[in-house]
Amino acid sequence: MSRRQVHRKIKAISGETPTDFIRRVRLQRARRLLEQKAGSVSEIAFQVGFGSLSYFTTAFKKQFGVLPSEV
């Protein structure tokens, strides 16, 4: 399957670009881990694949409307 086909299929199924879909899944995983108190915010951000804590915080707030430290 080509890259373009995967892109179209993910877009058709989820209504999101692959980048947005993957980011949403990673943020949902991070939220579950934060609710379970599985580590600090920075540990969880890096665990789910975010290389920048500031970007993680910005993306998390945009997705859920609260800061990760408030969860």
Side-chain angles (χ1 to χ4, degrees):
M1 188 180 279
S2 73
R3 180 180 181 273
R4 183 156 172 84
Q5 286 176 316
V6 171
H7 181 84
R8 277 186 283 173
K9 286 183 186 273
I10 290 174
K11 178 92 171 162
I13 292 170
S14 70
E16 301 172 299
T17 65
T19 303
D20 293 338
F21 176 76
I22 291 167
R23 183 184 312 114
R24 181 175 53 83
V25 170
R26 289 164 57 198
L27 288 169
Q28 288 173 343
R29 172 91 174 118
R31 184 175 188 166
R32 281 194 305 274
L33 290 170
L34 287 166
E35 288 171 346
Q36 295 170 357
K37 308 220 184 297
S40 68
V41 173
S42 60
E43 290 171 343
I44 290 171
F46 292 116
Q47 184 179 352
V48 297
F50 285 87
S52 166
L53 183 58
S54 62
Y55 177 66
F56 170 74
T57 303
T58 302
F60 194 93
K61 181 159 174 80
K62 184 178 177 186
Q63 179 76 28
F64 300 113
V66 294
L67 292 171
S69 57
E70 296 173 352
V71 173

